[in-house]
Amino acid sequence: MTVHLAPLVLRLRRLAVVGALLSLAACAAGPYDSDGLSDLPPQDSPFLRDLSREYAALGDMERAEYDWPDTARFYDRAIRAAKGEAFPPERLDDRALSDAAREELGAARARLVALFGAGARSIVGPDSARGQAAFDCWMQEQEEGHQADDIARCREIFLAAVTAIESAVDGALIVLLPDTDGVVGMIRVETPQGSVVLERERESAVTGDTQSAPQSTGTFLVADVEAVFGAALAAGPTPPVAFLLYFEQGTDRLTPDSARKLSEVLEVVGQRKLPQVEVSGHTDRSGSAAFNDQLAQDRAELVAQEVLGLGVPERVVTVVSYGERAPVVPTADGVSEARNRRVEIVVR
């Protein structure tokens, strides 16, 4: 499958402040050692990998100042990210803030969270990690309130990161998700300037304008798939559910196991807002074509009556006979095959 998109401008700006937080490592003695982070395998997600590093750097900074509660807080966040947990920036209520600080920080947090809701953590992981850590740094310094330079520095890093994120997410986003059968497939995202092939689950790309080739953005976080596409996926049609019911040879009597399956049909129908139920009859090739057409019709109508007897409205049920023309197991004429003697119920 090839997707041709009207390209948009994609500018992934890399800032001079990339290493600003990481350069703050300290050598002071004290508890809450972060050496255990080195024993954890690195995350595949650039966001989680960098988020862990950013929080470890903040923990080192607070450790150098003998601020043990905030050292523990930031190291704990570094460990959580290193273990693969994607969590939001701190809440305003986590800190004791003045009314003026709450107003500015509240607007800043809402701006960042909205970008995360657009998939920023997966599209531009390093900038998103830096933005989240800088926000928490800004909150922490603002709560202390006596280091104006530190407050200004964290705020500046946050604003620079958010500006970069906003530029990066300004494009068409494509994420490869499996279909209802779990098959991932492949998509080619193409503009006149180049193409990107997506063939692994949650692999993603963004497009620029006609002067730019699509850019791979790595593998989307599961949390970001839900954040960006959750509503659309929930609003999509519910996948159809099929039931196979089998019959005794040459008869319209269900096998005992198939008879017991009928109760499941009502449950599935009840889960649909506007259900449609198709009942189709099939036979093997052990009789004549004309006989099998009628036998398949009889079987389908028998099952349809059973379905109606469960309380399914008649207006949503259709009945069709395929006779011997649609076998599950192809056979020569005259061959008896139990798997072909069936009625299929498909609930949409």
Side-chain angles (χ1 to χ4, degrees):
M1 175 180 179
T2 299
V3 179
H4 296 277
L5 298 165
L8 304 170
V9 175
L10 176 65
R11 298 181 300 275
L12 300 178
R13 300 195 324 184
R14 299 301 173 195
L15 305 175
V17 296
V18 169
L21 291 179
L22 296 180
S23 65
L24 299 172
C27 58
Y32 311 115
D33 196 343
S34 62
D35 289 346
L37 287 170
S38 62
D39 298 329
L40 297 172
Q43 289 292 320
D44 292 335
S45 162
F47 170 74
L48 291 174
R49 189 167 58 243
D50 280 26
L51 190 66
S52 179
R53 293 169 180 167
E54 295 283 357
Y55 277 122
L58 289 176
D60 290 345
M61 182 174 67
E62 295 308 309
R63 185 167 174 255
E65 297 178 355
Y66 304 98
D67 181 348
W68 305 128
D70 284 318
T71 299
R73 184 193 298 247
F74 290 137
Y75 280 171
D76 175 67
R77 292 202 142 208
I79 292 168
R80 288 166 62 190
K83 290 181 176 180
E85 181 182 349
F87 48 86
E90 287 194 71
R91 302 169 302 167
L92 297 187
D93 290 343
D94 292 338
R95 298 286 183 178
L97 303 168
S98 67
D99 290 343
R102 286 181 68 88
E103 183 176 356
E104 183 180 21
L105 283 162
R109 188 182 190 278
R111 184 179 174 188
L112 181 63
V113 170
L115 290 169
F116 286 0
R121 295 180 300 186
S122 293
I123 297 170
V124 57
D127 285 331
S128 295
R130 186 163 49 256
Q132 176 166 330
F135 176 82
D136 285 3
C137 174
W138 182 9
M139 284 249 294
Q140 184 267 333
E141 295 294 345
Q142 189 68 64
E143 180 184 48
E144 289 183 350
H146 62 269
Q147 295 174 302
D149 289 346
D150 288 348
I151 295 171
R153 186 193 69 253
C154 294
R155 181 180 182 276
E156 179 182 354
I157 295 171
F158 170 81
L159 293 175
V162 168
T163 300
I165 296 168
E166 288 173 337
S167 175
V169 301
D170 184 20
L173 169 65
I174 305 95
V175 180
L176 182 61
L177 300 178
D179 62 21
T180 55
D181 296 323
V183 177
V184 175
M186 182 272 286
I187 291 178
R188 181 186 300 276
V189 183
E190 188 172 289
T191 71
Q193 299 303 317
S195 64
V196 171
V197 175
L198 309 180
E199 50 191 351
R200 292 187 297 275
E201 182 175 354
R202 292 183 283 110
E203 199 171 12
S204 63
V206 292
T207 62
D209 61 17
T210 54
Q211 305 305 312
S212 305
Q215 301 292 316
S216 172
T217 50
T219 301
F220 243 58
L221 293 166
V222 173
D224 283 347
V225 171
E226 177 62 28
V228 179
F229 304 109
L233 292 172
T238 305
V241 176
F243 298 88
L244 290 178
L245 308 181
Y246 295 99
F247 288 79
E248 305 291 349
Q249 183 176 4
T251 75
D252 58 7
R253 293 193 305 273
L254 288 168
T255 63
D257 286 344
S258 293
R260 286 190 288 271
K261 279 187 179 180
L262 281 171
S263 61
E264 299 176 26
V265 176
L266 181 61
E267 180 180 354
V268 173
V269 170
Q271 295 169 357
R272 266 53 175 181
K273 293 181 179 179
L274 298 172
Q276 293 294 318
V277 182
E278 180 183 286
V279 183
S280 59
H282 304 262
T283 70
D284 59 23
R285 301 190 67 190
S286 60
S288 68
F291 174 81
N292 286 334
D293 279 343
Q294 187 59 53
L295 179 59
Q297 182 73 26
D298 292 343
R299 288 172 171 171
E301 289 180 352
L302 180 148
V303 171
Q305 289 302 313
E306 294 286 346
V307 170
L308 293 173
L310 295 172
V312 177
E314 184 174 3
R315 67 181 182 278
V316 308
V317 179
T318 59
V319 178
V320 63
S321 169
Y322 290 98
E324 62 182 46
R325 294 183 297 279
V328 172
V329 181
T331 68
D333 192 26
V335 173
S336 174
E337 171 53 62
R339 287 169 291 181
N340 291 335
R341 299 191 297 269
R342 71 197 190 280
V343 165
E344 296 183 4
I345 303 176
V346 179
V347 182
R348 293 184 174 86

